[in-house]
């Protein structure tokens, strides 16, 4: 079965073709980051309009790269939500329009399920069951995953998501958008002993998170400097990253202990963070568990994860597909 995946929940237009026998055939992505950068964040109206511009050329690109004809597509999966309503509507309309024109079934996919299953696209994928840490711009969740569609929430953020904390703190430091990669790069030059920031909910005895206080702590440090220089910024960035990474790693260890599982999967944009990866790898070696990451290009939003999640869903339950244009975003 060949599934076309369409992702358009935020500021990335992603299309991909996944074959349940041959694997990923092609994927193409257009990031709108340069367009939104000047506004310091995503402008929803601009995002929707750009998805309209990019989607069809990207579709043509994946068809050309994979060498398959439109009619060889067996089903079309699109991101149903969560995300920006207008942006989602563009992807859903294109997917459903194609489905109706080609007379192929369509399937709405939960964006987080796409992220959650994205490590399974790697060359050495984890087997079920595993613990998953989902760290994106909008969500921070720990989950027990027993199979496709079998997810149990173990804990989540009570306020800001990890990616949101990265983005907001980067903005406070004047590092632009998107903040995650920028603050992470800056942190490399920071002195780890310069500042100590709080580790929110580190000892909460549950698997929940809270990151809004960390952002406020960054704000306080920034305000304490009348003339902030690059080294100050690097030191604050370092303190922020160290605090956030320590909490994420500690909660992952607690989730593994609570479930008795030995496989940890990291998904979502913050999963691309090198400091987080190094800390998790060190913990994995020490505590004898295995940690799996998606390929770097599949950490952030992409069409491959939607094509893959859609294909997995349809394999288990073909009747889940829709034949008409009816969706909720
Ligand atoms: O998963 P994603 O692409 O979109 C959502 O579904 O939210 O995640 C985007 C988030 C942003 O907050 C971005 O700053 C963060 O992931 N991010 C990073 C890195 N790359 C992306 N955060 C820290 N370090 C990175 N290298
Ligand atoms: Zn995402």
């Amino acid at each position: 079965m060949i599934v076309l995946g369409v992702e358009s929940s935020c500021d990335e237009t992603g299309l991909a073709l996944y074959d349940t026998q041959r694997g990923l055939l092609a994927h193409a992505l257009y990031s709108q980051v340069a367009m939104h950068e000047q506004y310091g964040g995503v402008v929803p109206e601009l995002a929707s309009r750009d998805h309209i511009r990019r989607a069809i050329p990207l579709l043509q690109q994946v068809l050309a790269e994979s060498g398959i004809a439109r009619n060889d597509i067996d089903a079309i999966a699109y991101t149903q939500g969560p995300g920006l309503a207008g942006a989602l509507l563009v992807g859903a309309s294109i997917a459903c329009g194609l489905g109706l024109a080609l007379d192929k079934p369509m399937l709405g996919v939960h964006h987080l399920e796409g992220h959650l299953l994205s490590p399974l696209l790697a060359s050495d994928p984890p087997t079920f069951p595993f613990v998953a840490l989902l760290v994106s711009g909008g969500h921070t969740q720990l989950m027990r995953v027993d199979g496709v569609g079998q997810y149990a929430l173990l804990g989540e953020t009570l306020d800001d998501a990890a990616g949101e904390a990265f983005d907001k703190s980067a903005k406070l430091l004047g590092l632009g958008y998107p903040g995650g990669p920028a603050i992470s790069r800056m942190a490399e030059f920071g002195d780890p002993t310069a500042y100590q920031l709080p580790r929110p909910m580190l000892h909460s005895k549950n698997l929940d998170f809270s990151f809004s206080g960390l952002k406020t702590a960054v704000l306080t440090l920034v305000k304490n400097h009348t003339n902030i220089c690059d080294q100050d910024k690097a030191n604050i960035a370092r303190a922020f990253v160290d605090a956030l990474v320590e909490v994420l790693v500690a909660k992952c260890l607690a989730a593994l202990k609570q479930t008795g599982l030995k496989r940890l999967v990291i998904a979502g944009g913050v999963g691309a963070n090198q400091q987080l990866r190094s800390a998790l790898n060190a913990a994995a070696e020490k505590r004898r568990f295995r940690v799996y990451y998606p390929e770097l290009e599949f950490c952030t939003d992409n069409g491959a994860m939607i094509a893959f999640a859609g294909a997995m869903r349809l394999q288990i339950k073909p009747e889940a597909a829709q034949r008409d244009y009816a969706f909720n975003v």
Side-chain angles (χ1 to χ4, degrees), residues 37-87:
E37 207 173 8
Q38 55 187 306
Y39 304 100
V42 179
V43 183
E45 174 71 16
L46 294 182
S48 310
R49 287 174 186 270
D50 208 55
H51 286 307
I52 299 172
R53 271 194 290 273
R54 309 293 170 189
I56 300 300
L58 291 175
L59 170 64
Q60 284 162 338
Q61 190 179 326
V62 291
L63 285 172
E65 266 174 36
S66 61
I68 71 153
R70 266 179 235 177
N71 252 314
D72 296 334
I73 297 173
D74 296 302
I76 300 156
Y78 60 92
T79 302
Q80 191 162 25
L84 302 171

Side-chain angles (χ1 to χ4, degrees), residues 183-203:
I183 205 169
S184 164
R185 273 193 304 274
M186 195 87 188
E188 293 290 337
F189 303 101
D191 171 2
T193 61
Y195 303 109
Q196 273 290 310
L197 289 185
R199 270 66 174 151
M201 296 187 74
L202 186 61
H203 304 295

Side-chain angles (χ1 to χ4, degrees), residues 9 111 115 136 300-301 305:
S9 65
H111 182 74
H115 276 302
S136 70
T300 44
D301 294 345
M305 68 183 194

Side-chain angles (χ1 to χ4, degrees), residues 96-324:
C96 291
L98 270 172
L100 292 176
L102 299 174
D103 193 24
K104 305 289 179 179
M106 313 146 230
L107 180 75
V109 169
H110 197 287
H111 182 74
L112 296 184
E113 184 172 30
H115 276 302
L116 196 64
L117 299 179
S118 63
L120 300 180
L121 280 165
S123 51
D124 180 19
T127 51
F128 298 115
F130 53 75
V131 167
L133 172 70
L134 185 66
V135 267
S136 70
H139 295 83
T140 298
Q141 297 183 330
L142 270 164
M143 253 170 291
R144 182 192 163 104
V145 179
D146 284 290
V148 174
Q150 297 172 47
Y151 315 125
L153 185 67
L154 302 173
E156 63 184 333
T157 184
L158 305 179
D159 41 57
D160 289 357
E164 194 179 352
F166 264 102
D167 294 339
K168 288 179 174 170
S169 299
K171 205 168 184 175
L172 291 171
L173 289 168
L175 297 181
Y177 164 86
I183 205 169
S184 164
R185 273 193 304 274
M186 195 87 188
E188 293 290 337
F189 303 101
D191 171 2
T193 61
Y195 303 109
Q196 273 290 310
L197 289 185
R199 270 66 174 151
M201 296 187 74
L202 186 61
H203 304 295
S204 65
K205 295 198 167 50
N206 61 26
L207 298 174
D208 289 334
F209 305 86
S210 164
F211 293 119
S212 72
L214 203 48
K215 168 198 67 194
T216 311
V218 168
L219 175 66
T220 309
L221 280 182
V222 171
K223 277 188 172 163
N224 284 346
H225 291 78
T226 34
N227 261 327
I228 193 161
C229 67
D230 280 352
Q231 190 57 52
D232 295 328
K233 287 186 184 181
N235 292 346
I236 297 173
R238 178 63 188 258
F240 167 81
V241 172
D242 284 354
L244 189 132
V245 165
E246 188 177 326
V247 174
L248 289 178
V249 173
K251 297 280 175 171
C252 285
L253 295 180
L256 289 168
K257 192 170 174 201
Q258 183 179 308
T259 55
L261 297 176
K262 290 278 178 202
R263 282 181 294 274
L264 175 68
V265 163
I266 310 298
V270 182
N273 184 269
Q274 290 305 333
Q275 287 101 339
L276 176 63
R277 288 186 175 213
S278 306
L280 284 170
N281 291 344
E285 202 166 308
K286 197 166 156 203
R287 307 284 187 104
R288 303 193 171 280
F289 63 89
R290 214 174 139 195
V291 55
Y292 297 81
Y293 308 95
E295 302 289 345
L296 266 183
E297 61 186 334
F298 299 143
C299 279
T300 44
D301 294 345
N302 64 87
M305 68 183 194
I306 301 303
F308 180 72
M312 295 301 106
R313 281 273 175 188
L314 288 170
Q315 265 188 327
I316 296 173
K317 205 175 164 197
E319 67 275 18
Q322 62 187 76
R323 284 266 175 195
D324 57 357

